[in-house]
Amino acid sequence: MDELMRAFDDADVLRVERRLLSAIPLVAHMSLQGITLQKEGLSLSAPLAPNVNDKGTGFGGALSAIATLSGWSLTSIYAESVKANGFDVVVHTSELTYLAPVKADFCALCYYPEEQLLDVFLHKLTERGKASLPLRAEIRSNGEVAVMLSGRFVAFARAEQV
């Protein structure tokens, strides 16, 4: 686990957090908190109130967005570790499973990838300027997993960098 965190430093995290909070307008509307690094992965937290549906529970689109943003953030941080501000990141595929309604404030936890997958990602990104990373994320609320995401995120060299 420590190896997966050593691939990046605090400056990489800070650059991605600034981009997340300032360049994606939806993030402000969702009242998304900043990035928190935990032992098992990267976490993003949000209050229920601005992300609620007509039933008073977490809106599926908001939950999907925050789970996706957690994967985007982690992939972006790893890409920053290769070259600061050198890559764009997009979600390529994602599959969501909704397990339980979200009735309180919640967080998305994107798990660190397996070390071998990360090594391949970083190598391809360095050598080819493009790589994909499969990631898993969960939405947790009141100690319960409410949503699971399985996705693939792609980092590629910014046009001006090519």
Side-chain angles (χ1 to χ4, degrees), residues 140-162:
R140 296 179 180 179
S141 181
N142 285 335
E144 179 179 57
V145 176
V147 179
M148 294 187 318
L149 175 141
S150 175
R152 182 170 291 277
F153 295 81
V154 177
F156 53 93
R158 291 202 169 132
E160 63 269 11
Q161 302 291 326
V162 179

Side-chain angles (χ1 to χ4, degrees), residues 69-81:
L69 286 166
S70 71
W72 176 91
S73 296
L74 187 56
T75 305
S76 294
I77 289 169
Y78 286 130
E80 285 291 311
S81 74

